[in-house]
Amino acid sequence: MDKTTQLLSQYDKESSFRTLEGKWAYIVSYIAIAFSIYQIYVSVFPPPPAQIQRSVHLAFALGLVYLLFPATRRGSRSSISYLDVMLSVLAAGSTLYWLFAFESLIGRIGNFTATDLAFGGVVIVLLLEATRRVVGFPIVIIALLFMSYALLGDEMPGFLKHRGVSLERLISHTYFTLEGILGTPLSVSSTFIFLFLLFGAFLEKTGVGSYFNDLALAVAGKRIGGPAKVAVFSSALQGTISGSSVANVVTSGSFTIPMMKRLGYKPEFAGGVEAASSTGGQIMPPIMGAAAFLMAEFTGISYWEIAKAAAVPAILYFAGIWMMVHFEAKRLGLRGLTKEELPDRKEVWKKSYLLLPILAIIGFLMSGVSPIRAALYAILCTILVGAFRKETRMSFKDILQALESGARTAVGVACATATAGIIVGVVTLTGVGLKFANGLVGFAGGIILLALFLTMISSILLGMGTPTTANYIITSTVAAPAIIALGAPVLSAHMFTFYFGIVADITPPVALAAFAASGIAGSGPMKTGIQSTKLAIAAFIIPYVFVLSPELLFIDATLGETLFAILTATIGMLGISAGLIGYWLRAMAWWERLWAIAAGLLLIIPGLITDTVGLGSLALIFGWQYAKLYKKDSQTGGIRVLEK
């Protein structure tokens, strides 16, 4: 097992699958390909009733999980035990109970039999075990806590107390309604998310992943501190097709982190750059780690409006990281990469046609095409674009492998969203979301900044160790109502919790993306986590602006007001970046750093007074830096020389 595969297996549960040979490899491939074909079919033709469509989707996913993922890390990676085969059949068969008993189940809604409840109970247990295998313990523990809360509600303290729910009621609500396992999260998984993951698999087959790295080298490699800027640029691109911060870290970091270290960056800084950049890929439109589609369903706001609103914060996020790596390179006196270390620019630009499918999907979405149709058209576009050149042309075998790869990627999302559906079901059954919101607002005493801070902490804690889709479902269900209760726009509240759920990937102590980067960099995990948190400072600041002044999300603002807010926020990130690194035109004293950070914060907060004071303060710092950096030396004839 190479180092990349080992790191993925260690930090990304979804990559810790069996590598099978012989008949089982063929069986798993056939099932995965059938999964993709089924999803394409129900996207093109009128789908069956929601209960059947979603249960078949989940049945495919559960069946594959038990065949692909061993029960423990020590389990065999080359063979499948008879127990796992039995569990695979039992999980898929139990989930298909809806398919075979649809008419009778619909006829006795609210009056379920012991057989119904037995099947529902088996599905819940096997779903939680499958989720543990493919995603990990955190989301399973959260789901179990919510289920315990539902059952033991009459024993809860204070505002969390409720009448309690019987086990029969919990099972029936969880599996036999569209408010639990088969609810909105799984609905989105079985439609939008699957097709976009399949689109990503087809893109990978054309070589677009490696092309992103070459393009980043061509664009940013020669600049000061080139490798770090390559990491920022390539991770932003990878985020358009990747649904995992950890996978992004390991994929692009395996070549950017060693380059950064060779150039002179400290190992923990190199790892932090890659972790922060890769995590930012999850907030980068158009896919946003597949959470954009869930957000559209939960908020009732169109997908395109969400993607448009998310673009500005994402650009500011990456701009902040870019500025910090630049100032760090200037502080250390680092160069860019040499011509010999870079790919041939002409060859890179010749392959720019590989970006056409991504541009096409954005164009489809802008023109009002539904996300499902846009994804289907983009897959066809990928096949056609790949045919331009022999090395990117997809054979029939490549298409089958892409279908298999897309299905394999989707099983983790399906399990995570189904398990998150249990949490959503408990929230609708007990009203705990509203209880939590009222309790949090009450604890904050109506002070909005304190309430936002408490919501931020809650979102980070709830998001630790969970994949992007489940992360958003949990944080938006539990924490977002608190912000909405404060009078914030719905989109602002959901973006706030989404951002802080995502940065859990780089926030110690459970910073999976940072820990994966530290494994490549050979640095201390906690030091890498601290560096990545510092580099991602925009993600800790901008969400507050979503709520306090939502112009950055194009909410209640003209285009001119939004563009001005973007400009001032970008200048503000310049001040914050310089202050955090401690270098602008020259090394900064401690008071200069604090001054620059404060001025930057004022510029990020939209408002004439804050912008004026912030811009004036930064201008003064710049002038002070310029005056101290250069001085006239009479002995050199008035030529300005660098101050030692």
Side-chain angles (χ1 to χ4, degrees), residues 32 36 40 193-209 212 238 240-243 287 357-358 375 378-379 382-383 392 394 397-410:
S36 290
I40 293 173
I193 294 177
F194 189 98
L195 290 177
F196 273 81
L197 293 176
L198 193 59
F199 168 56
F202 273 85
L203 279 177
E204 285 291 344
K205 271 297 171 184
T206 64
V208 75
F212 281 158
Q238 291 282 1
T240 62
I241 60 173
S242 172
I287 296 179
I358 296 175
I379 290 171
T382 303
I383 297 172
T392 59
M394 296 181 70
K397 183 180 179 181
D398 290 331
I399 292 173
L400 290 179
Q401 288 176 344
L403 291 172
E404 179 186 353
S405 177
R408 282 173 174 253
T409 305

mmCIF file of all heavy atoms in Angstrom, residues 32 36 40 193-209 212 238 240-243 287 357-358 375 378-379 382-383 392 394 397-410:
data_model
loop_
_atom_site.group_PDB
_atom_site.id
_atom_site.type_symbol
_atom_site.label_atom_id
_atom_site.label_comp_id
_atom_site.label_asym_id
_atom_site.label_seq_id
_atom_site.Cartn_x
_atom_site.Cartn_y
_atom_site.Cartn_z
ATOM 1 N N ALA A 32 -22.251 -2.044 -8.755
ATOM 2 C CA ALA A 32 -22.000 -0.600 -8.786
ATOM 3 C C ALA A 32 -22.444 0.011 -10.110
ATOM 4 O O ALA A 32 -23.066 1.086 -10.146
ATOM 5 C CB ALA A 32 -20.514 -0.324 -8.546
ATOM 6 N N SER A 36 -25.451 2.887 -10.890
ATOM 7 C CA SER A 36 -25.363 4.111 -11.695
ATOM 8 C C SER A 36 -26.403 4.119 -12.810
ATOM 9 O O SER A 36 -27.035 5.152 -13.076
ATOM 10 C CB SER A 36 -23.954 4.249 -12.287
ATOM 11 O OG SER A 36 -23.009 4.542 -11.286
ATOM 12 N N ILE A 40 -29.357 6.902 -13.419
ATOM 13 C CA ILE A 40 -29.526 7.628 -14.682
ATOM 14 C C ILE A 40 -30.937 7.399 -15.229
ATOM 15 O O ILE A 40 -31.595 8.332 -15.708
ATOM 16 C CB ILE A 40 -28.460 7.178 -15.701
ATOM 17 C CG1 ILE A 40 -27.064 7.611 -15.228
ATOM 18 C CG2 ILE A 40 -28.763 7.768 -17.082
ATOM 19 C CD1 ILE A 40 -25.932 7.062 -16.069
ATOM 20 N N ILE A 193 -27.173 14.776 -5.978
ATOM 21 C CA ILE A 193 -25.822 14.465 -5.529
ATOM 22 C C ILE A 193 -25.223 13.314 -6.317
ATOM 23 O O ILE A 193 -24.066 13.372 -6.753
ATOM 24 C CB ILE A 193 -25.820 14.151 -4.013
ATOM 25 C CG1 ILE A 193 -26.183 15.415 -3.218
ATOM 26 C CG2 ILE A 193 -24.453 13.631 -3.572
ATOM 27 C CD1 ILE A 193 -26.279 15.198 -1.723
ATOM 28 N N PHE A 194 -25.993 12.251 -6.510
ATOM 29 C CA PHE A 194 -25.451 11.095 -7.222
ATOM 30 C C PHE A 194 -24.973 11.498 -8.609
ATOM 31 O O PHE A 194 -23.868 11.127 -9.034
ATOM 32 C CB PHE A 194 -26.496 9.982 -7.337
ATOM 33 C CG PHE A 194 -25.925 8.696 -7.862
ATOM 34 C CD1 PHE A 194 -25.567 7.675 -6.998
ATOM 35 C CD2 PHE A 194 -25.720 8.509 -9.224
ATOM 36 C CE1 PHE A 194 -25.017 6.492 -7.484
ATOM 37 C CE2 PHE A 194 -25.174 7.334 -9.719
ATOM 38 C CZ PHE A 194 -24.815 6.325 -8.844
ATOM 39 N N LEU A 195 -25.773 12.258 -9.337
ATOM 40 C CA LEU A 195 -25.412 12.608 -10.707
ATOM 41 C C LEU A 195 -24.190 13.522 -10.749
ATOM 42 O O LEU A 195 -23.350 13.408 -11.652
ATOM 43 C CB LEU A 195 -26.591 13.265 -11.412
ATOM 44 C CG LEU A 195 -27.766 12.327 -11.721
ATOM 45 C CD1 LEU A 195 -28.913 13.097 -12.351
ATOM 46 C CD2 LEU A 195 -27.327 11.194 -12.648
ATOM 47 N N PHE A 196 -24.051 14.415 -9.778
ATOM 48 C CA PHE A 196 -22.872 15.278 -9.765
ATOM 49 C C PHE A 196 -21.620 14.498 -9.367
ATOM 50 O O PHE A 196 -20.520 14.778 -9.861
ATOM 51 C CB PHE A 196 -23.095 16.479 -8.837
ATOM 52 C CG PHE A 196 -23.766 17.632 -9.531
ATOM 53 C CD1 PHE A 196 -25.136 17.656 -9.706
ATOM 54 C CD2 PHE A 196 -23.025 18.686 -10.026
ATOM 55 C CE1 PHE A 196 -25.764 18.707 -10.363
ATOM 56 C CE2 PHE A 196 -23.635 19.749 -10.686
ATOM 57 C CZ PHE A 196 -25.014 19.761 -10.856
ATOM 58 N N LEU A 197 -21.768 13.521 -8.481
ATOM 59 C CA LEU A 197 -20.635 12.649 -8.166
ATOM 60 C C LEU A 197 -20.246 11.812 -9.380
ATOM 61 O O LEU A 197 -19.063 11.572 -9.639
ATOM 62 C CB LEU A 197 -20.989 11.734 -6.983
ATOM 63 C CG LEU A 197 -21.174 12.430 -5.633
ATOM 64 C CD1 LEU A 197 -21.611 11.419 -4.573
ATOM 65 C CD2 LEU A 197 -19.885 13.117 -5.185
ATOM 66 N N LEU A 198 -21.246 11.373 -10.126
ATOM 67 C CA LEU A 198 -20.989 10.623 -11.356
ATOM 68 C C LEU A 198 -20.284 11.519 -12.380
ATOM 69 O O LEU A 198 -19.361 11.078 -13.079
ATOM 70 C CB LEU A 198 -22.306 10.094 -11.920
ATOM 71 C CG LEU A 198 -22.227 9.039 -13.037
ATOM 72 C CD1 LEU A 198 -21.479 7.804 -12.565
ATOM 73 C CD2 LEU A 198 -23.634 8.662 -13.491
ATOM 74 N N PHE A 199 -20.702 12.770 -12.448
ATOM 75 C CA PHE A 199 -20.044 13.748 -13.316
ATOM 76 C C PHE A 199 -18.566 13.890 -12.937
ATOM 77 O O PHE A 199 -17.675 13.902 -13.796
ATOM 78 C CB PHE A 199 -20.773 15.086 -13.205
ATOM 79 C CG PHE A 199 -20.059 16.255 -13.822
ATOM 80 C CD1 PHE A 199 -19.678 16.234 -15.154
ATOM 81 C CD2 PHE A 199 -19.771 17.388 -13.068
ATOM 82 C CE1 PHE A 199 -19.022 17.318 -15.726
ATOM 83 C CE2 PHE A 199 -19.124 18.467 -13.631
ATOM 84 C CZ PHE A 199 -18.738 18.440 -14.966
ATOM 85 N N GLY A 200 -18.300 13.962 -11.636
ATOM 86 C CA GLY A 200 -16.920 14.043 -11.169
ATOM 87 C C GLY A 200 -16.108 12.819 -11.555
ATOM 88 O O GLY A 200 -14.931 12.926 -11.923
ATOM 89 N N ALA A 201 -16.726 11.635 -11.491
ATOM 90 C CA ALA A 201 -16.033 10.402 -11.872
ATOM 91 C C ALA A 201 -15.681 10.412 -13.360
ATOM 92 O O ALA A 201 -14.587 9.978 -13.752
ATOM 93 C CB ALA A 201 -16.917 9.193 -11.547
ATOM 94 N N PHE A 202 -16.586 10.900 -14.188
ATOM 95 C CA PHE A 202 -16.298 10.986 -15.623
ATOM 96 C C PHE A 202 -15.196 12.013 -15.897
ATOM 97 O O PHE A 202 -14.331 11.797 -16.761
ATOM 98 C CB PHE A 202 -17.569 11.345 -16.401
ATOM 99 C CG PHE A 202 -18.397 10.152 -16.789
ATOM 100 C CD1 PHE A 202 -19.316 9.605 -15.900
ATOM 101 C CD2 PHE A 202 -18.243 9.555 -18.024
ATOM 102 C CE1 PHE A 202 -20.082 8.489 -16.245
ATOM 103 C CE2 PHE A 202 -18.994 8.439 -18.380
ATOM 104 C CZ PHE A 202 -19.914 7.898 -17.488
ATOM 105 N N LEU A 203 -15.219 13.137 -15.165
ATOM 106 C CA LEU A 203 -14.154 14.126 -15.322
ATOM 107 C C LEU A 203 -12.793 13.526 -14.985
ATOM 108 O O LEU A 203 -11.801 13.751 -15.684
ATOM 109 C CB LEU A 203 -14.426 15.336 -14.425
ATOM 110 C CG LEU A 203 -15.415 16.388 -14.921
ATOM 111 C CD1 LEU A 203 -15.593 17.466 -13.860
ATOM 112 C CD2 LEU A 203 -14.949 17.019 -16.229
ATOM 113 N N GLU A 204 -12.739 12.772 -13.889
ATOM 114 C CA GLU A 204 -11.482 12.146 -13.483
ATOM 115 C C GLU A 204 -10.966 11.212 -14.572
ATOM 116 O O GLU A 204 -9.762 11.100 -14.799
ATOM 117 C CB GLU A 204 -11.674 11.380 -12.166
ATOM 118 C CG GLU A 204 -11.771 12.264 -10.933
ATOM 119 C CD GLU A 204 -10.455 12.942 -10.598
ATOM 120 O OE1 GLU A 204 -9.402 12.509 -11.116
ATOM 121 O OE2 GLU A 204 -10.473 13.916 -9.825
ATOM 122 N N LYS A 205 -11.861 10.511 -15.240
ATOM 123 C CA LYS A 205 -11.462 9.575 -16.291
ATOM 124 C C LYS A 205 -10.825 10.284 -17.479
ATOM 125 O O LYS A 205 -10.023 9.703 -18.205
ATOM 126 C CB LYS A 205 -12.663 8.743 -16.753
ATOM 127 C CG LYS A 205 -12.864 7.467 -15.973
ATOM 128 C CD LYS A 205 -11.674 6.535 -16.155
ATOM 129 C CE LYS A 205 -11.744 5.347 -15.234
ATOM 130 N NZ LYS A 205 -10.532 4.503 -15.363
ATOM 131 N N THR A 206 -11.181 11.533 -17.699
ATOM 132 C CA THR A 206 -10.564 12.287 -18.793
ATOM 133 C C THR A 206 -9.222 12.879 -18.384
ATOM 134 O O THR A 206 -8.533 13.487 -19.210
ATOM 135 C CB THR A 206 -11.483 13.430 -19.263
ATOM 136 O OG1 THR A 206 -11.656 14.377 -18.188
ATOM 137 C CG2 THR A 206 -12.829 12.908 -19.712
ATOM 138 N N GLY A 207 -8.853 12.726 -17.094
ATOM 139 C CA GLY A 207 -7.580 13.247 -16.610
ATOM 140 C C GLY A 207 -7.642 14.663 -16.112
ATOM 141 O O GLY A 207 -6.616 15.324 -15.950
ATOM 142 N N VAL A 208 -8.837 15.164 -15.804
ATOM 143 C CA VAL A 208 -8.970 16.562 -15.395
ATOM 144 C C VAL A 208 -8.330 16.809 -14.030
ATOM 145 O O VAL A 208 -7.857 17.913 -13.750
ATOM 146 C CB VAL A 208 -10.448 16.992 -15.397
ATOM 147 C CG1 VAL A 208 -11.199 16.419 -14.208
ATOM 148 C CG2 VAL A 208 -10.578 18.510 -15.415
ATOM 149 N N GLY A 209 -8.279 15.773 -13.174
ATOM 150 C CA GLY A 209 -7.676 15.951 -11.855
ATOM 151 C C GLY A 209 -6.205 16.313 -11.954
ATOM 152 O O GLY A 209 -5.738 17.283 -11.340
ATOM 153 N N PHE A 212 -5.696 19.800 -13.432
ATOM 154 C CA PHE A 212 -5.816 20.897 -12.472
ATOM 155 C C PHE A 212 -4.453 21.226 -11.869
ATOM 156 O O PHE A 212 -4.101 22.392 -11.688
ATOM 157 C CB PHE A 212 -6.791 20.522 -11.355
ATOM 158 C CG PHE A 212 -8.244 20.644 -11.743
ATOM 159 C CD1 PHE A 212 -9.220 19.944 -11.057
ATOM 160 C CD2 PHE A 212 -8.640 21.452 -12.793
ATOM 161 C CE1 PHE A 212 -10.554 20.056 -11.397
ATOM 162 C CE2 PHE A 212 -9.975 21.572 -13.147
ATOM 163 C CZ PHE A 212 -10.939 20.867 -12.444
ATOM 164 N N GLN A 238 -9.956 21.624 -7.584
ATOM 165 C CA GLN A 238 -10.355 20.272 -7.197
ATOM 166 C C GLN A 238 -11.680 20.289 -6.443
ATOM 167 O O GLN A 238 -12.466 19.339 -6.520
ATOM 168 C CB GLN A 238 -9.283 19.626 -6.307
ATOM 169 C CG GLN A 238 -7.981 19.297 -7.001
ATOM 170 C CD GLN A 238 -8.041 18.034 -7.836
ATOM 171 O OE1 GLN A 238 -9.078 17.396 -7.924
ATOM 172 N NE2 GLN A 238 -6.931 17.688 -8.461
ATOM 173 N N THR A 240 -14.241 21.813 -7.124
ATOM 174 C CA THR A 240 -15.404 21.813 -8.010
ATOM 175 C C THR A 240 -15.900 20.406 -8.289
ATOM 176 O O THR A 240 -17.045 20.217 -8.712
ATOM 177 C CB THR A 240 -15.072 22.510 -9.341
ATOM 178 O OG1 THR A 240 -14.019 21.786 -10.000
ATOM 179 C CG2 THR A 240 -14.643 23.937 -9.117
ATOM 180 N N ILE A 241 -15.049 19.390 -8.070
ATOM 181 C CA ILE A 241 -15.465 18.013 -8.338
ATOM 182 C C ILE A 241 -15.315 17.107 -7.127
ATOM 183 O O ILE A 241 -15.826 15.992 -7.128
ATOM 184 C CB ILE A 241 -14.672 17.402 -9.519
ATOM 185 C CG1 ILE A 241 -13.168 17.376 -9.221
ATOM 186 C CG2 ILE A 241 -14.947 18.160 -10.797
ATOM 187 C CD1 ILE A 241 -12.357 16.630 -10.268
ATOM 188 N N SER A 242 -14.615 17.548 -6.087
ATOM 189 C CA SER A 242 -14.362 16.699 -4.923
ATOM 190 C C SER A 242 -15.419 16.933 -3.858
ATOM 191 O O SER A 242 -15.858 18.058 -3.629
ATOM 192 C CB SER A 242 -12.979 16.993 -4.338
ATOM 193 O OG SER A 242 -12.801 16.318 -3.117
ATOM 194 N N GLY A 243 -15.801 15.857 -3.184
ATOM 195 C CA GLY A 243 -16.766 15.972 -2.099
ATOM 196 C C GLY A 243 -16.155 15.721 -0.745
ATOM 197 O O GLY A 243 -16.859 15.539 0.236
ATOM 198 N N ILE A 287 -20.400 22.939 -6.790
ATOM 199 C CA ILE A 287 -20.898 21.751 -6.090
ATOM 200 C C ILE A 287 -20.912 21.933 -4.576
ATOM 201 O O ILE A 287 -21.823 21.485 -3.890
ATOM 202 C CB ILE A 287 -20.073 20.506 -6.482
ATOM 203 C CG1 ILE A 287 -20.263 20.219 -7.972
ATOM 204 C CG2 ILE A 287 -20.506 19.289 -5.663
ATOM 205 C CD1 ILE A 287 -19.489 19.029 -8.490
ATOM 206 N N PRO A 357 -16.429 20.936 -19.800
ATOM 207 C CA PRO A 357 -17.593 20.381 -19.095
ATOM 208 C C PRO A 357 -17.981 21.169 -17.850
ATOM 209 O O PRO A 357 -19.168 21.321 -17.543
ATOM 210 C CB PRO A 357 -17.153 18.957 -18.738
ATOM 211 C CG PRO A 357 -16.125 18.614 -19.757
ATOM 212 C CD PRO A 357 -15.396 19.902 -20.014
ATOM 213 N N ILE A 358 -16.971 21.690 -17.119
ATOM 214 C CA ILE A 358 -17.267 22.476 -15.916
ATOM 215 C C ILE A 358 -17.921 23.800 -16.310
ATOM 216 O O ILE A 358 -18.900 24.236 -15.696
ATOM 217 C CB ILE A 358 -15.982 22.726 -15.107
ATOM 218 C CG1 ILE A 358 -15.420 21.390 -14.604
ATOM 219 C CG2 ILE A 358 -16.247 23.663 -13.938
ATOM 220 C CD1 ILE A 358 -14.088 21.500 -13.903
ATOM 221 N N ALA A 375 -26.510 18.069 -14.869
ATOM 222 C CA ALA A 375 -25.518 17.034 -14.594
ATOM 223 C C ALA A 375 -25.480 15.999 -15.711
ATOM 224 O O ALA A 375 -24.404 15.563 -16.140
ATOM 225 C CB ALA A 375 -25.820 16.366 -13.261
ATOM 226 N N ALA A 378 -23.843 17.493 -18.687
ATOM 227 C CA ALA A 378 -22.410 17.674 -18.435
ATOM 228 C C ALA A 378 -21.657 16.349 -18.580
ATOM 229 O O ALA A 378 -20.507 16.333 -19.041
ATOM 230 C CB ALA A 378 -22.192 18.258 -17.042
ATOM 231 N N ILE A 379 -22.281 15.243 -18.176
ATOM 232 C CA ILE A 379 -21.648 13.929 -18.348
ATOM 233 C C ILE A 379 -21.455 13.637 -19.836
ATOM 234 O O ILE A 379 -20.379 13.190 -20.267
ATOM 235 C CB ILE A 379 -22.495 12.835 -17.673
ATOM 236 C CG1 ILE A 379 -22.432 12.988 -16.149
ATOM 237 C CG2 ILE A 379 -21.997 11.432 -18.073
ATOM 238 C CD1 ILE A 379 -23.405 12.096 -15.400
ATOM 239 N N THR A 382 -18.702 15.740 -21.136
ATOM 240 C CA THR A 382 -17.391 15.221 -20.738
ATOM 241 C C THR A 382 -16.921 14.134 -21.695
ATOM 242 O O THR A 382 -15.746 14.100 -22.099
ATOM 243 C CB THR A 382 -17.456 14.656 -19.305
ATOM 244 O OG1 THR A 382 -17.915 15.672 -18.418
ATOM 245 C CG2 THR A 382 -16.085 14.181 -18.848
ATOM 246 N N ILE A 383 -17.819 13.233 -22.066
ATOM 247 C CA ILE A 383 -17.467 12.161 -23.001
ATOM 248 C C ILE A 383 -17.080 12.740 -24.352
ATOM 249 O O ILE A 383 -16.078 12.332 -24.969
ATOM 250 C CB ILE A 383 -18.642 11.166 -23.143
ATOM 251 C CG1 ILE A 383 -18.920 10.482 -21.794
ATOM 252 C CG2 ILE A 383 -18.332 10.119 -24.207
ATOM 253 C CD1 ILE A 383 -20.178 9.628 -21.791
ATOM 254 N N THR A 392 -7.186 11.497 -23.927
ATOM 255 C CA THR A 392 -8.324 11.746 -23.032
ATOM 256 C C THR A 392 -9.605 11.071 -23.517
ATOM 257 O O THR A 392 -10.631 11.172 -22.859
ATOM 258 C CB THR A 392 -8.588 13.263 -22.909
ATOM 259 O OG1 THR A 392 -8.866 13.807 -24.198
ATOM 260 C CG2 THR A 392 -7.397 13.975 -22.300
ATOM 261 N N MET A 394 -12.418 8.473 -24.049
ATOM 262 C CA MET A 394 -12.933 7.416 -23.184
ATOM 263 C C MET A 394 -13.418 6.231 -24.012
ATOM 264 O O MET A 394 -14.259 6.384 -24.901
ATOM 265 C CB MET A 394 -14.082 7.944 -22.312
ATOM 266 C CG MET A 394 -13.671 9.027 -21.345
ATOM 267 S SD MET A 394 -15.057 9.594 -20.316
ATOM 268 C CE MET A 394 -15.285 8.148 -19.285
ATOM 269 N N LYS A 397 -14.805 0.671 -21.927
ATOM 270 C CA LYS A 397 -14.319 0.209 -20.621
ATOM 271 C C LYS A 397 -14.166 1.389 -19.662
ATOM 272 O O LYS A 397 -14.508 1.287 -18.474
ATOM 273 C CB LYS A 397 -12.987 -0.511 -20.783
ATOM 274 C CG LYS A 397 -12.431 -1.079 -19.495
ATOM 275 C CD LYS A 397 -11.106 -1.790 -19.718
ATOM 276 C CE LYS A 397 -10.545 -2.328 -18.408
ATOM 277 N NZ LYS A 397 -9.238 -3.013 -18.618
ATOM 278 N N ASP A 398 -13.654 2.521 -20.159
ATOM 279 C CA ASP A 398 -13.502 3.715 -19.314
ATOM 280 C C ASP A 398 -14.861 4.207 -18.815
ATOM 281 O O ASP A 398 -15.001 4.631 -17.661
ATOM 282 C CB ASP A 398 -12.822 4.841 -20.099
ATOM 283 C CG ASP A 398 -11.360 4.556 -20.373
ATOM 284 O OD1 ASP A 398 -10.734 3.856 -19.567
ATOM 285 O OD2 ASP A 398 -10.861 5.023 -21.411
ATOM 286 N N ILE A 399 -15.863 4.159 -19.685
ATOM 287 C CA ILE A 399 -17.208 4.590 -19.294
ATOM 288 C C ILE A 399 -17.755 3.687 -18.202
ATOM 289 O O ILE A 399 -18.334 4.162 -17.207
ATOM 290 C CB ILE A 399 -18.146 4.601 -20.518
ATOM 291 C CG1 ILE A 399 -17.727 5.711 -21.490
ATOM 292 C CG2 ILE A 399 -19.606 4.797 -20.085
ATOM 293 C CD1 ILE A 399 -18.485 5.708 -22.798
ATOM 294 N N LEU A 400 -17.554 2.380 -18.342
ATOM 295 C CA LEU A 400 -18.004 1.445 -17.304
ATOM 296 C C LEU A 400 -17.268 1.700 -15.993
ATOM 297 O O LEU A 400 -17.871 1.658 -14.906
ATOM 298 C CB LEU A 400 -17.775 -0.004 -17.761
ATOM 299 C CG LEU A 400 -18.670 -0.513 -18.904
ATOM 300 C CD1 LEU A 400 -18.305 -1.955 -19.252
ATOM 301 C CD2 LEU A 400 -20.147 -0.426 -18.520
ATOM 302 N N GLN A 401 -15.972 1.978 -16.079
ATOM 303 C CA GLN A 401 -15.194 2.261 -14.862
ATOM 304 C C GLN A 401 -15.657 3.554 -14.204
ATOM 305 O O GLN A 401 -15.682 3.658 -12.971
ATOM 306 C CB GLN A 401 -13.710 2.331 -15.206
ATOM 307 C CG GLN A 401 -13.085 0.988 -15.531
ATOM 308 C CD GLN A 401 -11.633 1.095 -15.962
ATOM 309 O OE1 GLN A 401 -11.147 2.181 -16.305
ATOM 310 N NE2 GLN A 401 -10.928 -0.030 -15.945
ATOM 311 N N ALA A 402 -16.045 4.532 -15.017
ATOM 312 C CA ALA A 402 -16.572 5.784 -14.457
ATOM 313 C C ALA A 402 -17.908 5.543 -13.769
ATOM 314 O O ALA A 402 -18.173 6.088 -12.687
ATOM 315 C CB ALA A 402 -16.718 6.833 -15.554
ATOM 316 N N LEU A 403 -18.748 4.719 -14.370
ATOM 317 C CA LEU A 403 -20.026 4.372 -13.742
ATOM 318 C C LEU A 403 -19.795 3.665 -12.409
ATOM 319 O O LEU A 403 -20.489 3.938 -11.417
ATOM 320 C CB LEU A 403 -20.842 3.475 -14.676
ATOM 321 C CG LEU A 403 -21.392 4.120 -15.955
ATOM 322 C CD1 LEU A 403 -21.998 3.065 -16.863
ATOM 323 C CD2 LEU A 403 -22.422 5.195 -15.624
ATOM 324 N N GLU A 404 -18.827 2.775 -12.384
ATOM 325 C CA GLU A 404 -18.515 2.066 -11.138
ATOM 326 C C GLU A 404 -17.939 3.016 -10.095
ATOM 327 O O GLU A 404 -18.342 2.996 -8.921
ATOM 328 C CB GLU A 404 -17.509 0.943 -11.408
ATOM 329 C CG GLU A 404 -17.111 0.176 -10.155
ATOM 330 C CD GLU A 404 -16.013 -0.842 -10.398
ATOM 331 O OE1 GLU A 404 -15.637 -1.058 -11.572
ATOM 332 O OE2 GLU A 404 -15.523 -1.421 -9.410
ATOM 333 N N SER A 405 -17.000 3.876 -10.510
ATOM 334 C CA SER A 405 -16.368 4.818 -9.578
ATOM 335 C C SER A 405 -17.380 5.785 -8.982
ATOM 336 O O SER A 405 -17.345 6.079 -7.779
ATOM 337 C CB SER A 405 -15.262 5.591 -10.308
ATOM 338 O OG SER A 405 -14.677 6.549 -9.473
ATOM 339 N N GLY A 406 -18.306 6.281 -9.813
ATOM 340 C CA GLY A 406 -19.330 7.195 -9.307
ATOM 341 C C GLY A 406 -20.203 6.544 -8.260
ATOM 342 O O GLY A 406 -20.526 7.152 -7.231
ATOM 343 N N ALA A 407 -20.583 5.281 -8.498
ATOM 344 C CA ALA A 407 -21.416 4.561 -7.529
ATOM 345 C C ALA A 407 -20.656 4.312 -6.235
ATOM 346 O O ALA A 407 -21.216 4.449 -5.138
ATOM 347 C CB ALA A 407 -21.878 3.241 -8.137
ATOM 348 N N ARG A 408 -19.385 3.946 -6.338
ATOM 349 C CA ARG A 408 -18.574 3.719 -5.132
ATOM 350 C C ARG A 408 -18.483 4.987 -4.294
ATOM 351 O O ARG A 408 -18.569 4.945 -3.063
ATOM 352 C CB ARG A 408 -17.164 3.258 -5.516
ATOM 353 C CG ARG A 408 -17.057 1.789 -5.933
ATOM 354 C CD ARG A 408 -15.659 1.511 -6.456
ATOM 355 N NE ARG A 408 -15.437 0.110 -6.742
ATOM 356 C CZ ARG A 408 -14.688 -0.707 -6.000
ATOM 357 N NH1 ARG A 408 -14.114 -0.258 -4.913
ATOM 358 N NH2 ARG A 408 -14.516 -1.972 -6.337
ATOM 359 N N THR A 409 -18.306 6.122 -4.971
ATOM 360 C CA THR A 409 -18.223 7.399 -4.252
ATOM 361 C C THR A 409 -19.541 7.740 -3.576
ATOM 362 O O THR A 409 -19.566 8.331 -2.492
ATOM 363 C CB THR A 409 -17.841 8.526 -5.233
ATOM 364 O OG1 THR A 409 -16.642 8.181 -5.907
ATOM 365 C CG2 THR A 409 -17.645 9.840 -4.494
ATOM 366 N N ALA A 410 -20.637 7.339 -4.206
ATOM 367 C CA ALA A 410 -21.959 7.730 -3.709
ATOM 368 C C ALA A 410 -22.416 6.939 -2.496
ATOM 369 O O ALA A 410 -23.312 7.391 -1.769
ATOM 370 C CB ALA A 410 -22.990 7.588 -4.825
#
